[in-house]
Amino acid sequence: MDFHWFLPTNGDSRDIVGGGSGVPTGAAGGARPASVAYLGQIARSAEQLGFVGALTPTGAWCEDAWLTTAMLTEVTERLKFLVAFRPGLLSPTLAAQMASTFQRLSGGRLLLNVVTGGESHEQRQYGDFLDKDARYARTAEFLGVVRALFRGETVTLDGEHVRVEGAKLAHVPEVAPPIYFGGSSKAAGPVAAEHADIYLTWGEPPAQVAEKLAWIRSLRPDMRFGIRLHVITRDTAEQAWAEAGRLIGGVPESAIAQVQAGLRRSESEGQRRMLSLHGGSRDGLVVSPNLWAGVGLVRGGAGTALVGSHREVADRLEEYAALGIDEFILSGYPHLEEAYWFGEGVLPELARRGRWSHPAGRLATATAAVPFAGVPI
């Protein structure tokens, strides 16, 4: 089981911060700006605690993922960066060149999260006017070129959406960065099967995740899988659920209504599935044991959290692993503190069960905490 954390490049807070919904929330809790100093603190903490990598989002609502993570390689040593980017907003040759440079100069610490783009209104802000199905078709052509360039090939393609002539890389990466890809619509499956190394799903109940994984396996039997979840884990279940209640308790109904109205206009099938878990209501937010859909009331994208004691959260993670989930991409509010709750509570529990080991060869425990990079813990 591999674990990744999340870099809140649109700012952080002790309240839920909107992501991708276009509706900012959480400012009343004391927003933490997405500075290099603060993001570096999160990245170094994640690295020390035993996370393999950190996801950085993409969109008009956050800082650029490529530039931000390039800066953070200088304040970390081992942590990998799962850089989200959108095909069609740059050429496949330039994307392959950027990835090759990142891999070489960071010592092989790049992971690529390909985001086709589920919202036409946001794509148009960047000058992209294709519809959703056409965007998936373009992604397939784009990734075909990128993959070939990573293999050291010279590529000429006159496709429906992508056109390159004599494209090649001056420096082919020694290890091509793995490609992570998510999408719940029918058009997404074949693209994932042909071009992805890891297929990503948002944190739906286990039965729904099992169905999605079976769908992708029918197209690509050897696919690896990852899941995107928030976490609220504490020493006791009562403490964890109290924190979940605090997060949603201070959100006014007007804010929920505003966010939900925006999300209902989404073209994303994955977003539709997230919305169906709670229906825009505070009632019935526990949609599966320890799986809470409250985050999705005021945030776009990943809308569920695992909530409970460290042992309970470890149990749920093992259930997802039993379905075939290999990698877990997690986050929590605020991201610095919640990383420590998970890293010093859940990861040692999984280590005791023989399900996890620190990638640097030592357990993540509170007693192992030492000052790093001049920042006291």
Side-chain angles (χ1 to χ4, degrees):
M1 301 168 71
D2 288 336
F3 295 93
H4 305 258
W5 198 240
F6 182 86
L7 296 173
T9 54
N10 59 323
D12 203 2
S13 173
R14 298 200 66 81
D15 298 308
I16 298 172
V17 178
S21 66
V23 181
T25 63
R32 301 180 183 184
S35 65
V36 173
Y38 180 57
L39 295 176
Q41 201 174 7
I42 296 173
R44 290 190 298 269
S45 298
E47 181 174 73
Q48 181 198 43
L49 290 165
F51 292 94
V52 171
L55 170 66
T56 308
T58 183
W61 48 274
C62 60
E63 301 288 357
D64 177 74
W66 288 101
L67 294 175
T68 302
T69 55
M71 295 178 184
L72 295 177
T73 61
E74 290 297 293
V75 299
T76 53
E77 298 177 357
R78 171 188 53 79
L79 192 72
K80 297 183 179 182
F81 294 97
L82 182 49
V83 174
F85 75 102
R86 302 187 185 194
L89 304 187
L90 71 170
S91 79
T93 308
L94 179 58
Q97 181 184 20
M98 292 167 63
S100 177
T101 298
F102 199 116
Q103 272 295 71
R104 188 169 59 260
L105 299 185
S106 70
R109 292 199 281 153
L110 176 65
L111 310 169
L112 291 174
N113 180 25
V114 176
V115 180
T116 298
E119 313 302 339
S120 291
H121 69 90
E122 187 179 27
Q123 293 295 120
R124 289 193 291 269
Q125 294 180 45
Y126 290 100
D128 178 18
F129 289 84
L130 294 183
D131 63 25
K132 182 179 176 180
D133 286 345
R135 290 198 295 269
Y136 275 113
R138 179 179 60 194
T139 295
E141 293 182 359
F142 180 100
L143 291 177
V145 173
V146 170
R147 286 284 204 187
L149 292 172
F150 284 164
R151 294 192 295 268
E153 300 174 13
T154 299
V155 182
T156 295
L157 174 67
D158 186 8
E160 182 179 359
H161 303 286
V162 174
R163 184 179 182 184
V164 296
E165 183 176 331
K168 61 181 179 180
L169 291 179
H171 301 283
V172 177
E174 291 187 12
V175 178
I179 293 176
Y180 292 65
F181 183 91
S184 300
S185 66
K186 291 182 180 180
V191 180
E194 183 175 2
H195 297 290
D197 297 297
I198 298 94
Y199 175 83
L200 296 176
T201 180
W202 282 330
E204 299 175 5
Q208 295 180 26
V209 170
E211 291 178 0
K212 189 179 290 186
L213 270 55
W215 167 49
I216 298 297
R217 284 196 188 101
S218 72
L219 302 173
R220 169 91 171 273
D222 64 342
M223 181 68 78
R224 287 175 55 84
F225 296 101
I227 193 168
R228 174 80 178 89
L229 286 156
H230 304 280
V231 288
I232 304 173
T233 177
R234 296 292 186 271
D235 294 335
T236 68
E238 292 76 17
Q239 292 170 335
W241 285 110
E243 176 62 12
R246 185 197 67 79
L247 281 172
I248 201 64
V251 178
E253 290 295 333
S254 58
I256 294 175
Q258 184 181 10
V259 172
Q260 291 300 301
L263 295 178
R264 282 193 292 271
R265 294 192 292 269
S266 173
E267 300 170 1
S268 167
E269 176 64 16
Q271 185 64 72
R272 185 195 65 78
R273 292 169 69 102
M274 283 282 98
L275 293 178
S276 70
L277 295 178
H278 54 68
S281 170
R282 295 176 188 264
D283 299 326
L285 290 177
V286 181
V287 297
S288 186
N290 300 103
L291 187 65
W292 182 65
V295 178
L297 289 178
V298 287
R299 183 194 192 278
T304 54
L306 290 178
V307 182
S309 67
H310 305 314
R311 179 173 295 181
E312 288 173 335
V313 171
D315 289 343
R316 302 291 84 77
L317 292 169
E318 286 196 297
E319 288 179 6
Y320 281 116
L323 298 178
I325 297 295
D326 306 290
E327 303 191 20
F328 298 82
I329 302 171
L330 309 174
S331 57
Y333 300 103
H335 289 73
L336 181 62
E337 288 92 324
E338 204 64 51
Y340 272 97
W341 280 111
F342 186 87
E344 296 182 349
V346 179
L347 291 183
E349 175 64 28
L350 290 171
R352 284 190 287 271
R353 301 180 187 188
R355 300 304 306 271
W356 176 83
S357 60
H358 197 290
R362 59 180 175 80
L363 296 183
T365 64
T367 57
V370 295
F372 55 94
V375 179
I377 297 175

